[in-house]
Amino acid sequence: MKYEDLLELAKNRRSIRRFKPDPIPNEYIDKIIEVAHWAPSGFNQQPWEFVVIKKPELKKQISDYCKEQLLLGHKMNAAIDPTLKVPDSIHAMETEGGNFSVAPVFILLLGDHRSIQLMPSSHQYGTEYLNNTFNAGLTCSFLYMQLAATTLGLASQWLSAVQAPYVSFMVKELLGIPKYLNIYDMMALGFPAAQPKPRTIRNVVKMLHHDYCGPGAFRSDADVLEYIQQTRGVVEP
Ligand SMILES: Cc1cc2nc3c(=O)[nH]c(=O)nc-3n(C[C@H](O)[C@H](O)[C@H](O)COP(=O)(O)O)c2cc1C
């Protein structure tokens, strides 16, 4: 593989939040999981498990749990800033930023925490270190899934709402997932119904530092706030 091909893939990988309901070939799902299971992980523990969800009634229930959580987020924001609009119901959430619930496939990425807890050498590392390493491996695998989806011309979206305690608990109950498995994140997958808008990307020159670099080399609070405003809208300082 050439560097240029990798760069092209990195640039083309996008979050696409508008899906066609059309089914995707099973072969595509197999290919995505095949790539994901080659991801690097801390201590080579490969703590991942993949759950492919296609049954409409399960997808609907999971979507509703996610939307309930997202609606709570809107309410929390409105508590800080009452001028913000809160959708009337979870059904109104459908038009907010995308339509993930119509995607034909959800892939739930689970992490098996026993893979680090039961390691004989785990006492050498603090809990934070172990958890960071565990999650970093899962992130790698999730990213590999998204890269694979890109090469297959599919739209994919991370849905971190599944990590919220309420959603995670309800989804695990719904699917019979045992307690010792953590829900890391969920991917909605399907053929794209829209192309994403161009994204804001920080200037690489400004984030590259060499050798000794004091605080003056990095962004000020104002710089960080300005970037958050560009990407997320108005923020409270
Ligand atoms: C760890 C992580 C969690 C994310 N969670 C969500 C999410 O819950 N919902 C969503 O729509 N996008 C989510 N995203 C996608 C980001 O919003 C997206 O990557 C970012 O805005 C840049 O856009 P791009 O993916 O098109 O380059 C997540 C991305 C990462 C890496």
Side-chain angles (χ1 to χ4, degrees):
M1 188 192 195
K2 295 213 169 63
Y3 168 80
E4 286 71 23
D5 298 329
L6 176 62
L7 180 63
E8 206 48 31
L9 177 59
K11 286 182 174 177
N12 286 338
R13 182 222 52 83
R14 295 298 312 276
S15 300
I16 301 182
R17 301 181 176 88
R18 287 256 157 223
F19 299 89
K20 289 183 182 164
D22 316 16
I24 56 176
N26 284 337
E27 177 202 336
Y28 280 20
I29 299 169
D30 294 343
K31 286 184 163 175
I32 288 170
I33 309 292
E34 168 69 18
V35 171
H37 100 290
W38 284 99
S41 58
F43 311 102
N44 193 22
Q45 286 308 293
Q46 304 171 34
W48 38 71
E49 305 285 338
F50 306 91
V51 184
V52 176
I53 303 153
K54 286 199 234 166
K55 281 198 182 339
E57 65 276 17
L58 293 177
K59 285 200 299 110
K60 159 109 181 51
Q61 188 60 75
I62 294 170
S63 302
D64 284 355
Y65 292 143
C66 288
K67 287 190 218 164
E68 282 177 59
Q69 183 63 39
L70 295 169
L71 184 58
L72 285 178
H74 281 284
K75 288 183 180 169
M76 288 162 82
N77 289 344
I80 300 170
D81 178 354
T83 64
L84 292 175
K85 203 169 157 277
V86 178
D88 294 336
S89 68
I90 60 163
H91 307 295
M93 302 289 303
E94 197 64 276
T95 54
E96 295 273 313
N99 67 347
F100 71 88
S101 57
V102 311
V105 174
F106 292 168
I107 302 179
L108 204 56
L109 180 65
L110 308 177
D112 191 333
H113 214 258
R114 293 171 303 177
S115 59
I116 50 168
Q117 277 167 350
L118 301 184
M119 269 195 327
S121 58
S122 66
H123 57 272
Q124 293 176 34
Y125 311 97
T127 309
E128 194 179 349
Y129 179 107
L130 284 174
N131 286 340
N132 286 347
T133 306
F134 174 74
N135 284 321
L138 293 166
T139 309
C140 291
S141 182
F142 203 94
L143 177 61
Y144 273 31
M145 287 206 293
Q146 199 171 43
L147 291 173
T150 304
T151 65
L152 296 167
L154 295 177
S156 63
Q157 179 182 0
W158 301 58
L159 283 157
S160 304
V162 289
Q163 294 178 22
Y166 166 69
V167 186
S168 169
F169 178 87
M170 299 304 272
V171 170
K172 281 170 81 167
E173 285 295 309
L174 181 72
L175 303 178
I177 293 168
K179 279 200 173 59
Y180 48 81
L181 294 171
N182 297 1
I183 292 188
Y184 171 71
D185 220 328
M186 190 174 81
M187 175 173 282
L189 201 60
F191 287 110
Q195 286 309 310
K197 294 185 190 134
R199 74 196 132 165
T200 315
I201 289 284
R202 287 178 56 209
N203 186 335
V204 69
V205 174
K206 293 194 176 163
M207 61 177 77
L208 177 62
H209 314 283
H210 297 281
D211 301 324
Y212 177 80
C213 29
F218 301 99
R219 294 186 291 171
S220 65
D221 289 1
D223 294 334
V224 174
L225 271 173
E226 189 188 323
Y227 185 77
I228 295 173
Q229 273 160 357
Q230 272 177 36
T231 52
R232 308 290 300 176
V234 178
V235 286
E236 295 287 319

